[in-house]
Amino acid sequence: MIDFSKIPENYNPTSFPVMEAYDALWGFIIIKQDISFEYEESQYSYDSPTTVTINGTFTVNAELNSIVTPNSAQDESRFNAMKNKYDTLRDLFINASKQLAPSSILEYGTVSDLRCIKLPDIFRDKDNYNIYMRPFSLNISDTQWPTQISYTAVLKEIQKPACKISVSGYIINDAVIDIVARRPRISTEKYFNANSGEIYFAGWEPRKYKVSGDLSGIIPSGCIFHDSALGLANSLMSGMVSIDKIISNGNFVRVISDLFVDSSDFSAVKSGTGISVNIEGKE
Amino acid sequence: MLSNMSFTNNLGTIGLTRINYSLNHSLVWNGGSGTRSNIEISVTGNVQKSETDFFGIIGNPSSKGFRGTLVLPNKTYSNMRISNISFEGGIWVPWGIVTMSFTDETEDGTNKNIATLTDGTSSFLVYEPKISLKPSTISLSEKTIHLYDGYFRQKLGHDFIKVSFNGVIILEDDFIPDALFNVVEQQGVNGLPRIGELKSFIPESESNLNVQKIMITDSNLSWRVEKRSVTVSINFIAPPQNIEV
């Protein structure tokens, strides 16, 4: 969440407003912030991730620190100055897309989260700290090479999840735990030609669980499956697992002890970075 | 001041000044009868950059935001859902322009579409509840008599009543409380399934769906851990009977 009250005010009502936000990495920038409210199935409660759109411009004047008059002999150096600025920013975006989520959810959206890029320094949160967001796109359109490059960058806030589910120490992202509650074994008997009947009860069936979600990790280059999936698959060989949650302070809390595993499956897409996991078992 | 607005929910209040706003009612008809109206509201207004209370309703996973009350110059709308806030890029001046949008599909807050699930000790609010009923009808067997080109019908007895109920429960924390398991796995005396009136499980059913001697046959929970919500689906069974209205 960006606090706009931290933005320096250069507005002078007696003259034209002047925008002087220049950043060595981002160039001249203006920023737009959208907050979407994502409701649960309940339609009653929401999460509110922020999307930031930065419209930036690299100019010859700023990068070469001089007013450059049109001259074809200078075109190459001007072009390279602009291109280098853009390449630096692009490399930062692309490199972020290759990073794993931090092992601790405490580090989500912080300087330790390698998936994130620091927003230009003038944008701070309410406590005046730098803001780190996950980049999503970087576009150039209809720009004037080589005198300037204008780009649009979109970044999204990483919200710290309330907790993460861990099976045998492997983190399952966006976990859904389906529970078939303990239920009575019953059979029913209608009375012939009558408006009545009986229900026979024969004990209770145990609770059953199914954990599904995405396993953290990136498939190593040249491999078709990733190591953590094989590690988790091997840990299921014992036929029994425990499921923990990792809470916001980083501690593990047991959710289900000694779950007998009925079945499990893992699926991966070669080009993808995630592996979907299903584990079924009962108490 | 007439040209101000505010939106307040469990996390705080947001306010804009010198607003322009648009109201859009769309009316929903079902089989020729009116059922409800939806409202969509879009407000564009100004906020001072130093107005840090503005961020009060944003929240984070440890403090979920709920629906709230929108106060506009013409009317106060309760149970409103905020759907978007947008700050324009040119916000380099002391007053920034902000656009916010709201919706409500529950008849101006008069029907909040919430039911209750209880075991008499603990209660949980169930959002977006859906209930379905399979009444007690007579099972018949038919025997065809070819010689006379006719058939007999024989009454085999009345079927059991079946009720299913599902909806979403919002968790206050990142675990399912034992009380919720107690509610969906209700036991009565001697470890038998608890048998009672439907209203003792779902109080809202008292008005016109009061089934007697009903019990839970099975319950399914789908717990989205990181979103802190649970979809519950419960099936009930009861002996043949007329339903008390």
Side-chain angles (χ1 to χ4, degrees), chain B residues 37-65:
Chain B
S37 63
N38 297 338
I39 186 165
E40 294 171 9
I41 299 174
S42 176
V43 184
T44 299
N46 299 274
V47 66
Q48 210 161 6
K49 281 205 305 192
S50 56
E51 182 57 76
T52 50
D53 284 351
F54 188 78
F55 305 99
I57 64 154
I58 306 303
N60 57 58
S62 62
S63 56
K64 266 184 179 303

Coordinates of all heavy atoms in Angstrom, one line a residue, chain B residues 37-65:
Chain B
S37 N -33.4 -6.0 -6.5 CA -32.8 -5.0 -7.3 C -31.3 -5.0 -6.9 O -30.9 -5.2 -5.8 CB -33.4 -3.6 -7.1 OG -33.2 -3.2 -5.8
N38 N -30.5 -4.8 -7.9 CA -29.0 -4.6 -7.7 C -28.7 -3.1 -7.8 O -29.4 -2.4 -8.6 CB -28.2 -5.3 -8.8 CG -28.4 -6.8 -8.7 OD1 -28.8 -7.4 -7.7 ND2 -28.1 -7.5 -9.9
I39 N -27.8 -2.7 -7.1 CA -27.4 -1.3 -7.2 C -25.9 -1.2 -7.4 O -25.1 -2.0 -6.8 CB -27.8 -0.4 -6.0 CG1 -27.5 1.0 -6.2 CG2 -27.2 -0.9 -4.7 CD1 -28.2 2.0 -5.3
E40 N -25.5 -0.3 -8.3 CA -24.0 -0.1 -8.6 C -23.8 1.4 -8.4 O -24.6 2.2 -9.0 CB -23.6 -0.5 -10.0 CG -23.7 -2.0 -10.1 CD -23.5 -2.4 -11.6 OE1 -23.1 -1.5 -12.4 OE2 -23.7 -3.6 -11.9
I41 N -22.8 1.8 -7.7 CA -22.5 3.2 -7.4 C -21.1 3.5 -7.7 O -20.2 2.7 -7.3 CB -22.8 3.6 -5.9 CG1 -24.3 3.3 -5.6 CG2 -22.5 5.0 -5.6 CD1 -24.6 3.5 -4.1
S42 N -20.8 4.6 -8.4 CA -19.5 5.0 -8.7 C -19.3 6.4 -8.2 O -20.1 7.3 -8.5 CB -19.2 4.9 -10.2 OG -17.9 5.3 -10.5
V43 N -18.3 6.6 -7.5 CA -18.0 8.0 -6.9 C -16.7 8.4 -7.3 O -15.7 7.7 -7.2 CB -18.1 7.9 -5.3 CG1 -18.0 9.3 -4.8 CG2 -19.3 7.2 -4.8
T44 N -16.6 9.7 -7.8 CA -15.3 10.3 -8.0 C -15.2 11.5 -7.1 O -16.1 12.3 -7.1 CB -15.1 10.7 -9.5 OG1 -15.2 9.5 -10.3 CG2 -13.8 11.3 -9.8
G45 N -14.1 11.6 -6.4 CA -14.0 12.7 -5.5 C -12.6 13.1 -5.2 O -11.7 12.5 -5.8
N46 N -12.4 13.9 -4.2 CA -11.1 14.4 -3.9 C -10.7 14.0 -2.5 O -11.5 13.9 -1.6 CB -11.0 15.9 -4.0 CG -11.4 16.4 -5.4 OD1 -10.6 16.5 -6.3 ND2 -12.7 16.6 -5.6
V47 N -9.4 13.7 -2.4 CA -8.9 13.4 -1.1 C -7.5 14.1 -0.9 O -6.8 14.3 -1.8 CB -8.7 11.9 -0.9 CG1 -7.6 11.4 -1.8 CG2 -8.4 11.5 0.5
Q48 N -7.3 14.6 0.3 CA -6.1 15.3 0.6 C -5.0 14.3 0.8 O -5.2 13.2 1.4 CB -6.3 16.1 1.9 CG -5.5 17.3 1.9 CD -6.0 18.3 2.9 OE1 -6.9 18.0 3.7 NE2 -5.4 19.5 3.0
K49 N -3.8 14.6 0.3 CA -2.7 13.6 0.4 C -2.4 13.3 1.8 O -1.9 12.2 2.1 CB -1.5 14.1 -0.4 CG -1.6 14.0 -1.8 CD -0.3 13.9 -2.5 CE 0.6 15.1 -2.2 NZ 1.7 15.2 -3.1
S50 N -2.5 14.3 2.7 CA -2.1 14.0 4.1 C -3.2 13.3 4.9 O -3.1 13.0 6.0 CB -1.9 15.4 4.8 OG -3.0 16.2 4.6
E51 N -4.3 12.9 4.2 CA -5.4 12.3 4.9 C -5.1 10.8 5.0 O -5.6 10.0 4.2 CB -6.7 12.5 4.1 CG -8.0 11.9 4.7 CD -8.2 12.4 6.1 OE1 -8.7 13.6 6.3 OE2 -8.0 11.6 7.0
T52 N -4.4 10.4 6.0 CA -3.9 9.0 6.0 C -5.0 8.1 6.5 O -4.9 6.9 6.2 CB -2.7 8.9 7.0 OG1 -3.1 9.5 8.2 CG2 -1.5 9.5 6.4
D53 N -6.1 8.6 7.1 CA -7.2 7.7 7.4 C -7.8 7.0 6.2 O -8.5 6.0 6.2 CB -8.3 8.5 8.1 CG -8.0 8.8 9.5 OD1 -7.0 8.3 10.0 OD2 -8.8 9.6 10.1
F54 N -7.5 7.6 5.0 CA -8.0 7.1 3.8 C -7.7 5.6 3.6 O -8.4 4.8 3.0 CB -7.3 7.9 2.7 CG -7.9 7.5 1.3 CD1 -9.1 8.1 0.9 CD2 -7.2 6.7 0.5 CE1 -9.6 7.8 -0.3 CE2 -7.7 6.4 -0.8 CZ -8.9 6.9 -1.1
F55 N -6.6 5.2 4.2 CA -6.1 3.8 4.0 C -6.7 2.9 5.0 O -6.4 1.7 5.1 CB -4.6 3.8 4.0 CG -4.0 4.7 3.1 CD1 -3.6 6.0 3.5 CD2 -4.0 4.4 1.7 CE1 -3.1 6.9 2.5 CE2 -3.5 5.3 0.8 CZ -3.0 6.5 1.2
G56 N -7.6 3.4 5.8 CA -8.2 2.6 6.9 C -8.9 1.3 6.5 O -9.0 0.4 7.3
I57 N -9.5 1.3 5.4 CA -10.4 0.2 5.0 C -9.6 -0.9 4.2 O -10.2 -1.8 3.8 CB -11.6 0.6 4.2 CG1 -11.2 1.2 2.9 CG2 -12.5 1.6 5.0 CD1 -12.3 1.1 1.9
I58 N -8.4 -0.6 3.9 CA -7.7 -1.5 3.0 C -7.4 -2.9 3.7 O -7.7 -3.9 3.1 CB -6.4 -0.9 2.5 CG1 -6.7 0.4 1.9 CG2 -5.7 -1.8 1.5 CD1 -7.6 0.5 0.8
G59 N -6.9 -2.9 4.8 CA -6.7 -4.2 5.6 C -5.6 -5.0 5.0 O -4.9 -4.7 4.1
N60 N -5.5 -6.2 5.6 CA -4.5 -7.1 5.2 C -5.0 -8.5 5.7 O -6.1 -8.6 6.3 CB -3.1 -6.8 5.9 CG -3.2 -6.8 7.4 OD1 -3.7 -7.7 8.0 ND2 -2.9 -5.6 8.0
P61 N -4.4 -9.6 5.4 CA -4.9 -10.9 5.7 C -5.2 -11.1 7.2 O -6.1 -12.0 7.5 CB -3.9 -11.9 5.2 CG -3.2 -11.2 4.1 CD -3.2 -9.7 4.6
S62 N -4.6 -10.4 8.0 CA -4.9 -10.6 9.4 C -6.1 -9.8 9.9 O -6.6 -9.8 11.0 CB -3.7 -10.2 10.3 OG -3.4 -8.9 10.1
S63 N -6.6 -8.9 9.0 CA -7.8 -8.1 9.3 C -8.7 -8.0 8.1 O -8.5 -7.1 7.3 CB -7.4 -6.8 9.8 OG -6.6 -6.1 8.9
K64 N -9.5 -9.0 7.8 CA -10.3 -9.0 6.6 C -11.3 -7.9 6.7 O -11.9 -7.6 7.7 CB -11.1 -10.3 6.6 CG -10.4 -11.4 5.8 CD -11.4 -12.6 5.8 CE -10.7 -13.7 4.9 NZ -10.4 -13.3 3.6
G65 N -11.6 -7.3 5.5 CA -12.6 -6.3 5.4 C -13.9 -6.9 5.1 O -14.0 -7.9 4.4

